Amino acid sequence: PTEGPFSENHFQKVAEPGRVSESGSSLSNVIDMEQTLESDSVGKWLGVTLESAEPVQLSMMIGEQHTNFYGTTHGGVVFSLADVAMSLAANAEVRAVAIDAHIVFQAASRPGDRLRVAVEQMSTSRRLGSCRATVDGPAGQIASFTGTCYRPPS
């Protein structure tokens, strides 16, 4: 396809000859995470910023527009932050699309809090990859997230 998440146009390559990831793989075909995040409408709406590309770490500031009727951060916002982070991590070296995700909420956050998410790739195979993420607020961890991604043939 010429457009969408599986198009070559969507994945800008970063050529850094000789650079090697922590897993030992070459990073010569890595997506430009800043550009990819900029093209993510949900990430933009949330106000997500890239703090680190390896490992993937994102953050966002919680505003009134992100709250539920209790005045705390809506769970869907926390989930979306973790999902955006997983998407960037899963697509760092190959194309991938989420097929499963799960979140456990451990604490609340409120407007004015900065949330940070860090993603760790747990395993990868030819067709599947799994990630784990933690979402932290000012007082510590607020959520644990796991996800599985399908890695279609190129």
Side-chain angles (χ1 to χ4, degrees):
T2 58
E3 296 298 323
F6 296 113
S7 71
E8 284 300 318
N9 296 336
H10 182 73
F11 294 92
Q12 299 298 318
K13 308 225 174 177
V14 177
E16 294 183 41
R19 184 168 174 218
V20 175
S21 74
E22 290 176 7
S23 64
S25 62
S26 168
L27 293 179
S28 60
N29 292 325
V30 174
I31 61 171
D32 180 333
M33 286 197 191
E34 287 183 6
Q35 186 173 13
T36 301
L37 183 58
E38 179 63 28
S39 71
D40 187 304
S41 298
V42 172
K44 249 200 261 194
W45 174 77
L46 290 172
V48 172
T49 58
L50 179 67
E51 291 192 359
S52 169
E54 195 176 331
V56 172
Q57 296 178 358
L58 305 177
S59 70
M60 68 173 286
M61 195 65 147
I62 298 301
E64 293 293 333
Q65 72 274 22
H66 302 125
T67 61
N68 58 27
F69 52 83
Y70 290 118
T72 60
T73 307
H74 193 285
V77 170
V78 178
F79 184 96
S80 294
L81 172 63
D83 186 56
V84 169
M86 181 184 76
S87 178
L88 287 175
N91 282 280
E93 297 179 25
V94 297
R95 294 180 210 171
V97 61
I99 59 172
D100 177 67
H102 177 79
I103 195 162
V104 176
F105 300 104
Q106 293 135 322
S109 62
R110 292 174 171 61
D113 288 350
R114 177 162 292 283
L115 299 186
R116 289 184 169 77
V117 60
V119 179
E120 172 184 12
Q121 289 226 27
M122 301 306 297
S123 66
T124 56
S125 69
R126 245 177 30 142
R127 294 287 175 251
L128 297 174
S130 64
C131 296
R132 175 174 43 205
T134 57
V135 182
D136 295 317
Q141 188 169 329
I142 67 163
S144 300
F145 178 96
T146 56
T148 304
C149 293
Y150 172 66
R151 301 163 66 151
S154 17

